[in-house]
Amino acid sequence: MDDSSGFDAPGGGRPGDRPDDIVLDGLRGLGAERAAEVRALIRDVPDYPHPPVVFRDITPLLADGPALADVVEAFARLVDADGGVDVVAGMEARGFLLGAPLATRLGVGFLPLRKAGKLPPPVERVDYDLEYGSAAIELRTGTLEAGARVLLVDDVLATGGTARAAAELVERSGGQVVALAFLLELAGLGGRDRLTGRTVEALLRVES
């Protein structure tokens, strides 16, 4: 859950004969051939929802059992590199799809970070600004142990506003953010700049 709508990227993609604009980054640990196969399951949809956006549809990847398992394993390797975690937290809603199986793979719990109004009180809450308006993200009070090492997971890092709010929410609730991990980073939107000083990992990266 970031400030973009799914996998929208301003330009790029593979319409026609253009070269692929997605860099494999953290998927390289699967081997070049397998990483390319997994990437190929992300469908590029030019001009959706409007030109010149290329929408990155991860539905085929999620529907492919071995590919989803490989993505979870690639995330797990990042966790090992960052020294382990006590709990995985996923941002609503697509962070749930990746974070829950990762938590199962790691043998730790999973915490859903919800949009405002989805949880009964008491909750911890962080409000943040969007390009056109504002939003809030919440966590049920008391579900995170003090000092717990938390990995934040989402499908896409775009402008970074939601990711920064999620990290603040975890820390306000007593946790320690070990790293933030994303399936795809839209590097041209500058999300990392809003997460300065934090460990940010991505399995795939769009430079344009």
Side-chain angles (χ1 to χ4, degrees):
M1 169 188 168
D2 210 314
D3 304 337
S4 69
S5 176
F7 280 83
D8 304 0
R14 292 187 296 174
D17 295 326
R18 290 182 185 177
D20 190 8
D21 65 337
I22 294 185
V23 181
L24 299 180
D25 276 3
L27 279 185
R28 294 189 187 278
L30 299 175
E33 182 177 355
R34 182 54 179 159
E37 291 173 349
V38 173
R39 184 272 174 262
L41 290 169
I42 297 176
R43 186 170 66 102
D44 298 344
V45 186
D47 299 331
Y48 180 82
H50 54 75
V53 167
V54 178
F55 186 85
R56 316 291 175 153
D57 179 15
I58 66 169
T59 305
L61 189 157
L62 295 173
D64 187 298
L68 179 58
D70 282 342
V71 165
V72 170
E73 192 60 34
F75 274 125
R77 291 194 186 98
L78 297 179
V79 173
D80 291 339
D82 290 322
V85 300
D86 299 312
V87 65
V88 174
M91 292 170 257
E92 190 170 352
R94 292 177 294 270
F96 299 173
L97 302 177
L98 300 170
L102 176 59
T104 300
R105 161 64 179 80
L106 298 174
V108 300
F110 175 77
L111 288 179
L113 305 183
R114 303 299 309 273
K115 296 177 182 178
K118 299 289 187 178
L119 292 171
V123 297
E124 302 295 330
R125 174 185 173 114
V126 169
D127 295 276
Y128 61 100
D129 293 328
L130 299 172
E131 185 176 0
Y132 300 104
S134 61
I137 189 169
E138 296 177 340
L139 174 64
R140 178 70 165 81
T141 301
T143 53
L144 185 61
E145 294 186 7
R149 297 169 297 172
V150 180
L151 174 70
L152 281 168
V153 175
D154 205 358
D155 65 334
V156 63
L157 173 61
T159 61
T162 302
R164 185 171 68 176
E168 181 181 341
L169 177 61
V170 165
E171 291 169 347
R172 184 177 296 181
S173 302
Q176 172 191 348
V177 177
V178 172
L180 297 95
F182 304 88
L183 178 61
L184 181 71
E185 176 184 2
L186 306 181
L189 298 183
R192 281 181 185 260
D193 296 338
R194 302 185 73 174
L195 300 170
T196 301
R198 300 188 182 278
T199 299
V200 179
E201 307 279 7
L203 300 187
L204 300 162
R205 175 169 41 89
V206 176
E207 290 290 358
S208 58

